[in-house]
Amino acid sequence: MKIIAPSMLSCNFGKLEEEIEMVNKSDADWFHLDIMDGVFVPNITFGTPILDVFKKYSEKHLDMHLMIVNPENYVEKFASLGANTITVHYEACDNLKDTIKQIKKLNIKAGVAINPDTDVSLLKEFIDQIDLVCLMSVFPGFSGQKFINETYKRLKSLKTIISNSNANTIIQIDGGVSLDNAKKLVSIGADILVAGSFVFKSESPKKTIEKLYTAIN
Ligand code: DX5
Ligand code: ZN
């Protein structure tokens, strides 16, 4: 089964509880939560108080995408806030292997995100230790950006790396996902599609999630 993970960064924070309830009732299986520090990326989003609200109302998998420097300092904190997956950026970690171990020790899925200009082959030596690769299809920092077409080629290479190492790593695509590219991404090997503005700027976010889900399953 392929997964749709709405990026809650694009939701209406003025009615967060309702937005969470909508996703609870939708075909989405994960909540994708974008945490930005204004240092690793030129934007600041949300932290503990908002994550507490997700912890309280979510009935689904909490997928925390950390776009922060020194993520190892915050892994325990995010674990206590109910994370089921913690994804750190390859570019933000001084010691990726240790950070992956640190996440897994807490019984949380360990994800590694890579920017569009980071060579996917750099993940080869870690791939069998990573539960999820978040292949960025935009430069991290903002929702509503245009999908980078180069992603298809990168996805193919990543898929080859994973199968060559007999790893069970799943692939998430993050940025500019819509009904225009969802099917193609899954046919090449994506397992999870993150979608922010395409879902929340649509007339009926719940229906849009359903359409995306149906397109890929
Ligand atoms: C970008 C974030 C994405 C983003 C997705 O830095 O990691 O998750 O919110 O939003 P859309 O789908 O609008 O590109
Ligand atoms: Zn994200």
Side-chain angles (χ1 to χ4, degrees):
M1 195 197 62
K2 306 294 178 182
I3 291 172
I4 297 296
S7 164
M8 302 309 287
L9 187 55
S10 296
C11 85
N12 181 349
F13 282 87
K15 44 171 198 164
L16 185 53
E17 192 184 330
E18 280 171 51
E19 296 283 60
I20 296 172
E21 287 305 336
M22 181 278 290
V23 176
N24 280 340
K25 292 198 186 85
S26 77
D27 286 330
D29 290 293
W30 289 21
F31 284 91
H32 183 83
L33 305 173
D34 290 300
I35 297 140
M36 306 186 190
D37 67 355
V39 181
F40 180 68
V41 286
N43 195 12
I44 298 174
T45 54
F46 49 79
T48 313
I50 295 286
L51 293 169
D52 264 331
V53 181
F54 281 97
K55 187 182 179 192
K56 185 166 175 200
Y57 296 109
S58 154
E59 292 164 9
K60 298 195 169 172
H61 187 107
L62 294 182
D63 169 31
M64 300 194 187
H65 177 191
L66 309 189
M67 285 158 275
I68 65 176
V69 295
N70 303 122
E72 64 280 0
N73 295 344
Y74 295 93
V75 165
E76 269 82 21
K77 182 75 211 163
F78 291 119
S80 76
L81 289 162
N84 298 104
T85 296
I86 293 183
T87 296
V88 296
H89 264 265
Y90 176 86
E91 303 83 6
C93 291
D94 292 332
N95 193 333
L96 186 62
K97 271 190 188 156
D98 282 355
T99 307
I100 294 168
K101 270 192 207 145
Q102 188 192 358
I103 297 170
K104 285 184 154 181
K105 247 196 195 147
L106 297 161
N107 267 325
I108 291 170
K109 282 188 195 301
V112 175
I114 56 166
N115 284 348
D117 57 356
T118 299
D119 189 346
V120 289
S121 67
L122 290 168
L123 292 177
K124 257 186 210 161
E125 60 169 307
F126 309 98
I127 204 74
D128 56 341
Q129 296 148 53
I130 304 174
D131 295 307
L132 171 152
V133 172
C134 174
L135 191 64
M136 294 303 301
S137 37
V138 299
F139 282 89
F142 300 91
S143 51
Q145 301 181 76
K146 195 177 169 294
F147 179 86
I148 298 172
N149 279 315
E150 186 77 12
T151 307
Y152 297 122
K153 248 204 330 228
R154 289 163 56 74
L155 174 57
K156 245 182 225 160
S157 313
L158 178 60
K159 196 72 192 166
T160 307
I161 292 170
I162 294 172
S163 34
N164 285 348
S165 14
N166 280 324
N168 295 319
T169 318
I170 55 176
I171 305 175
Q172 178 179 65
I173 304 292
D174 188 8
V177 169
S178 71
L179 275 168
D180 290 340
N181 49 31
K183 257 196 181 150
K184 185 167 174 186
L185 287 166
V186 165
S187 75
I188 304 175
D191 303 287
I192 303 177
L193 302 181
V194 173
S197 45
F198 186 69
V199 167
F200 288 100
K201 305 291 174 239
S202 70
E203 212 172 290
S204 166
K206 189 161 174 275
K207 271 200 191 128
T208 304
I209 292 171
E210 189 185 321
K211 279 185 197 157
L212 282 167
Y213 179 83
T214 313
I216 63 170
N217 280 291

